[in-house]
Amino acid sequence: MTTRIVPAVGDVDAARSVTTLLSQLPDAEPAAPVTDSTQLIDTLARLAGESLDDLPEVVLVHERIGPVPALELIREVSLRFPAIGVVLITADVTPGLFSSAMESGARGVVTLPLSYEELANRVQSAAQWSVGVRRHLTAGNDVFTGPGGTVVTVSGAKGGVGATVAAVQIALAAQTSGRNVALVDLDLQTGDIGSYLDVQFRRSIVDLSTITDISPRVLSDAVFSHSTGLALLLAPSEGESAEEVSDRSARQIVSALRSRYEVVVIDCGSQLQGASAAAIEMADTALLVTTPDVIAVRGAKRVVRMWERLQIRKAEDTVTLVNRFIRSTEIQPQLIEKITGTTTANTAVPANFKELQAVVDAGRLHELDSKSTVKQALWALAGELGIVKVPEKAEKNGAKSIAKFKNDRGSLGRRRDRGGDSRNRQTTQGAS
């Protein structure tokens, strides 16, 4: 049997040493080393998206991999790809480290400096375990074996730009289309999802922050089942409790949610904390909400640059949503795209707060009228992000992938700048 192996090693010399030994193992098919945690997760997700049979049997994680720490990376791989045997490479051979590695989901530990015999034994053991698990999972059709659900984070360029409204509505759009959706309030100090949806619930995300192994039972106890069908994981009612949710616990919570729900929408607010930074880094799509005014656009640029400096998210991997858009405004979406270096969503949300005021004041945002242009635009955005389920009939008829939601009459498409408008050039200087 051929054993496919993916080594995750950041150090060049260590990668060369690992690759040399792996090439000597019998029936081994080592892949090129991946140099960081993000590349590893992306590689595994791509392989799983093509076919679960394409996933490697073994993943080797070096202790100095980054930016996600090795044990956290092992935990995420184990949760998202449960049929892969993960082996940790480390110089720390203490019982405490061994215990932590096993708790994170590792199937073995190889000590440094590497020896051929130990590496061969650990790889063979992990590969045999992987084959056995895949055989078991194939026999049970009700066991989830995929790469996990889609995670979308929604952040604000500054306070008051409409990030929470956007998060709630795109989650509702995905839920209405037939997806199993979790909506998470990670704006830990000032989260308002509970107020927008008229929910009072004593449990919050803080209840999961100290749990190292979040089982489906534990997760369901912390989640509120809303009448719309959304699963809500709320922010704590006491803002000071936000300190209890670390970046490590946030990774565990997001991974647990991803393994159970098809779509996970996370409202990160406008303040960057360790927990929200971890969620943005893990997200499949990071949505940044701004309004078409100089202050907000400057805020968006500042946020994007900060994400890049902290190695959380690249600008080109961020999607910017223009909210409260008016066609006559001087700051157009293509100008915002140029200033921030991000990709601007094709859908812009029109400025029409009168449609929202009644349901916001009543705390019933989920009852927003279907004729609302704001709702139609945000639901069109959900389709653009690919988180709505396309009816099979629409697919068979060759309809567009977001047939029901895209190009709704409430959405405003981006207008391309063809003539180099002088007003835009002047605004660029003011906003940057």
Side-chain angles (χ1 to χ4, degrees):
M1 181 194 74
T2 301
T3 301
R4 293 164 296 181
I5 308 169
V6 174
V9 186
D11 183 75
V12 177
D13 294 333
R16 187 181 302 111
S17 174
V18 171
T19 304
T20 301
L21 282 178
L22 289 177
S23 64
Q24 300 174 14
L25 298 181
D27 300 323
E29 187 181 303
V34 295
T35 57
D36 58 56
S37 57
T38 302
Q39 186 181 359
L40 175 62
I41 295 298
D42 289 346
T43 298
L44 296 179
R46 175 178 54 79
L47 293 173
E50 295 172 357
S51 173
L52 295 179
D53 294 333
D54 292 339
L55 286 172
E57 283 75 27
V58 179
V59 168
L60 298 176
V61 176
H62 194 276
E63 63 179 355
R64 288 187 289 178
I65 195 71
V68 177
L71 292 180
E72 295 301 319
L73 179 60
I74 290 173
R75 185 184 301 276
E76 184 173 353
V77 171
S78 300
L79 285 171
R80 294 186 60 179
F81 313 96
I84 295 178
V86 187
V87 177
L88 173 65
I89 302 175
T90 178
D92 186 358
V93 292
T94 61
L97 186 279
F98 186 85
S99 176
S100 298
M102 296 303 104
E103 289 178 357
S104 298
R107 301 308 307 173
V109 176
V110 179
T111 57
L112 292 170
L114 293 174
S115 68
Y116 174 84
E117 291 78 9
E118 185 181 17
L119 182 62
N121 290 335
R122 297 294 179 268
V123 168
Q124 183 181 14
S125 176
Q128 291 175 348
W129 175 87
S130 175
V131 171
V133 169
R134 295 182 191 206
R135 187 181 301 116
H136 171 72
L137 293 179
T138 302
N141 295 328
D142 58 335
V143 181
F144 178 74
T145 62
T150 301
V151 176
V152 178
T153 57
V154 183
S155 307
K158 67 180 190 66
V161 295
T164 300
V165 172
V168 170
Q169 286 299 325
I170 64 174
L172 286 170
Q175 175 68 34
T176 303
S177 74
R179 298 287 190 191
N180 186 20
V181 182
L183 177 59
V184 184
D185 198 341
L186 208 55
D187 186 1
L188 297 174
Q189 291 186 332
T190 58
D192 282 322
I193 285 180
S195 299
Y196 275 112
L197 296 178
D198 192 24
V199 172
Q200 293 183 348
F201 191 54
R202 62 186 180 87
R203 294 192 181 275
S204 72
I205 194 171
V206 173
D207 294 294
L208 299 176
S209 61
T210 58
I211 300 175
T212 56
D213 186 13
I214 304 176
S215 65
R217 174 71 178 274
V218 170
L219 186 62
S220 64
D221 288 341
V223 167
F224 178 83
S225 297
H226 195 258
S227 59
T228 58
L230 291 176
L232 305 180
L233 185 57
L234 303 175
S237 55
E238 300 84 13
E240 63 273 17
S241 301
E243 298 179 356
E244 300 180 33
V245 185
S246 65
D247 56 341
R248 178 179 179 179
S249 58
R251 292 183 189 281
Q252 296 175 2
I253 293 168
V254 173
S255 295
L257 289 166
R258 189 199 293 267
S259 68
R260 185 169 183 186
Y261 296 93
E262 293 179 89
V263 176
V264 181
V265 179
I266 305 176
D267 179 9
C268 294
S270 58
Q271 298 291 327
L272 186 67
Q273 300 172 328
S276 56
I280 295 167
E281 183 183 349
M282 296 176 66
D284 298 285
T285 301
L287 189 67
L288 180 62
V289 183
T290 185
T291 48
D293 58 84
V294 171
I295 302 301
V297 174
R298 282 178 176 169
K301 181 180 179 181
R302 183 169 57 245
V303 168
V304 170
R305 298 295 176 266
M306 178 171 59
W307 288 359
E308 288 189 319
R309 289 194 303 272
L310 297 176
Q311 297 184 349
I312 297 171
R313 200 89 181 179
K314 295 180 180 179
E316 57 267 27
D317 294 333
T318 302
V319 179
T320 300
L321 171 68
V322 182
N323 189 27
R324 300 172 194 157
F325 177 67
I326 303 174
R327 292 191 185 278
S328 60
T329 184
E330 292 188 358
I331 302 180
Q332 295 291 315
Q334 62 269 24
L335 179 59
I336 296 175
E337 183 173 273
K338 181 179 179 181
I339 292 172
T340 60
T342 62
T343 301
T344 308
N346 290 323
T347 302
V349 182
N352 200 339
F353 183 73
K354 289 183 179 180
E355 296 178 351
L356 296 171
Q357 187 165 4
V359 291
V360 168
D361 290 345
R364 310 284 292 179
L365 187 58
H366 52 289
E367 295 181 356
L368 182 62
D369 195 320
S370 297
K371 296 180 180 180
S372 163
T373 56
V374 173
K375 178 176 180 177
Q376 290 175 357
L378 288 170
W379 284 40
L381 172 68
E384 184 180 335
L385 298 178
I387 60 174
V388 298
K389 181 181 290 186
V390 182
E392 294 183 4
K393 183 177 180 181
E395 290 181 339
K396 292 179 181 179
N397 292 337
K400 293 183 179 180
S401 60
I402 48 176
K404 183 176 180 180
F405 303 97
K406 191 174 182 180
N407 293 330
D408 227 329
R409 64 186 179 89
S411 63
L412 296 176
R414 294 168 51 192
R415 295 191 302 175
R416 297 293 180 183
D417 184 11
R418 298 181 179 178
D421 193 343
S422 60
R423 293 188 305 172
N424 285 351
R425 289 196 298 269
Q426 293 171 1
T427 312
T428 303
Q429 298 173 357
S432 38

